């Protein structure tokens, strides 16, 4: 079992690698978590060393194909750090990113805090706590040379591959509140390449189900969701390969398209 000092040391090591744009094969043996609880303790130190604001949460591996690709048996939760958010019009630097993909996602913003609750939350409670839906593009990255080989605990410790996020303006209530999100299509386009299409059903069957999973995963490991935080629910499409000099346009069929450039 890892001590708190070992959890902190593992987090500091991974965070330093992220800042430097470097990867390692695996955490040193003495710093490797061997349970989800330990992995989330490592991840939790991202808030404290140095102190950072958590803007929200992400879900990795929300499809069977995604889980098989990285050799995990279920979704993983990660923190969205405020200092890794992208501003509209900002160019993403791909140096040091060994994944080089973009993921088109739906994100919910919480209107009220969901405190820790024995037994967890039901769908009606979770839906009632949501105040807005917004489009998101995630640019994930990993601190592991072969992120498909290290296992779920190591990936969670590495913040579940969370890196950079771009969020668009809120959809209007009429565009989403009574909409079947399972059939909601999104399209990602890079000039000169075939468009990539996805659908809400690729996200644990329904983005609402993904949100419910995230809320109860966090609740089970002592992590409460707070009012104002966003939850990016996982990619609707097959991750889109990106390269320097390209620009991705994400069309959600509602609101203005999101655009992001890479350099």
């Amino acid at each position: 079992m890892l001590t708190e000092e070992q959890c902190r040391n593992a987090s500091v090591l991974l965070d330093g690698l992220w800042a430097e744009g470097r990867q390692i094969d695996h955490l040193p043996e003495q710093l490797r978590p061997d349970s989800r609880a330990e992995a989330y303790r490592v991840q939790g130190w991202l808030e404290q060393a140095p102190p950072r604001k958590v803007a929200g949460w992400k879900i990795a591996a929300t499809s069977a194909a995604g889980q098989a690709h990285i050799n995990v048996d279920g979704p993983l939760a990660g923190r969205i750090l405020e200092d890794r958010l992208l501003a509209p019009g900002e160019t993403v630097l791909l140096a040091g990113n060994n994944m080089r993909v973009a993921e088109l996602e739906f994100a919910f913003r919480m209107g009220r805090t969901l405190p820790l609750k024995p037994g967890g939350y039901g769908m009606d409670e979770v839906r009632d706590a949501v105040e807005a839906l917004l489009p998101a593009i995630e640019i994930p990255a990993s601190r592991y040379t072969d992120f498909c080989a290290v296992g779920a605990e190591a990936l969670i410790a590495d913040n579940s591959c969370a890196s950079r996020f771009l969020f668009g303006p809120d959809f209007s209530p009429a565009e989403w509140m009574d909409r079947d999100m399972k059939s909601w299509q999104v399209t990602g386009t890079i000039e000169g390449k075939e468009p990539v299409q996805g659908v809400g059903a690729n996200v644990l069957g329904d983005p609402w189900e993904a949100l419910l999973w995230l809320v109860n995963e966090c609740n089970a490991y002592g992590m409460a969701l707070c009012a104002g935080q966003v939850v990016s629910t996982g990619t609707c499409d097959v991750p889109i390969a990106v390269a320097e000099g390209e620009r991705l346009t994400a069309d959600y069929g509602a609101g203005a398209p999101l655009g992001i450039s890479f350099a």
Side-chain angles (χ1 to χ4, degrees):
M1 181 175 179
L2 296 182
T3 65
E4 279 307 304
E5 183 179 5
Q6 288 171 315
C7 288
R8 180 185 184 279
N9 290 343
S11 181
V12 169
L13 171 61
L14 291 166
D15 196 40
L17 291 168
W18 187 91
E20 297 166 9
R22 296 193 297 114
Q23 287 83 35
I24 54 174
D25 290 339
H26 210 314
L27 284 167
E29 190 72 40
Q30 70 273 18
L31 299 181
R32 294 180 190 178
D34 62 7
S35 68
R36 281 197 171 224
E38 285 189 354
Y40 283 124
R41 284 168 55 210
V42 173
Q43 187 189 115
W45 275 100
L46 285 171
E47 297 183 43
Q48 304 175 56
R52 289 190 179 98
K53 182 177 179 181
V54 176
W57 301 83
K58 66 154 283 182
I59 313 172
T62 51
S63 70
Q67 292 163 19
H69 178 61
I70 59 173
N71 293 301
V72 299
D73 60 4
L76 316 172
R79 288 161 165 82
I80 299 174
L81 302 176
E82 190 174 72
D83 61 5
R84 296 182 186 173
L85 296 179
L86 295 163
E90 186 175 353
T91 297
V92 180
L93 301 178
L94 291 175
N97 186 320
N98 63 339
M99 299 181 80
R100 296 190 171 222
V101 296
E103 300 180 347
L104 279 53
E105 311 194 359
F106 291 106
F108 295 99
R109 188 170 64 245
M110 309 308 294
R112 61 181 178 84
T113 296
L114 293 176
L116 298 181
K117 177 183 176 183
Y121 285 89
M123 181 63 83
D124 288 346
E125 296 170 296
V126 170
R127 291 182 74 119
D128 187 58
V130 170
E131 72 173 7
L133 179 76
L134 53 159
I137 300 176
E138 179 183 3
I139 313 299
S142 176
R143 269 50 72 181
Y144 301 115
T145 306
D146 185 356
F147 52 87
C148 299
V150 294
E153 290 77 17
L155 290 171
I156 290 170
D158 185 33
N159 205 20
S160 300
C161 300
S163 184
R164 310 303 297 272
F165 287 83
L166 174 66
F167 293 104
D170 297 357
F171 293 114
S172 71
E175 289 174 315
W176 71 275
M177 291 195 72
D178 296 318
R179 187 165 182 170
D180 175 12
M181 294 194 65
K182 298 187 294 295
S183 60
W184 192 332
Q185 293 186 334
V186 299
T187 303
T189 305
I190 294 174
E191 186 175 354
K193 296 183 178 181
E194 285 294 319
V196 177
Q197 294 187 322
V199 66
N202 291 335
V203 184
L204 288 181
D206 187 328
W208 283 111
E209 292 292 342
L211 175 64
L212 178 64
W213 177 88
L214 185 283
V215 167
N216 285 320
E217 176 81 350
C218 288
N219 185 76
Y221 292 101
M223 306 177 295
L225 269 69
C226 298
Q229 290 183 338
V230 293
V231 177
S232 201
T233 53
T235 185
C236 296
D237 58 326
V238 174
I240 301 169
V242 296
E244 289 92 343
E246 293 182 333
R247 179 171 177 80
L248 170 68
T249 300
D251 186 351
Y252 292 80
L258 277 184
I260 191 166
S261 299
F262 301 92

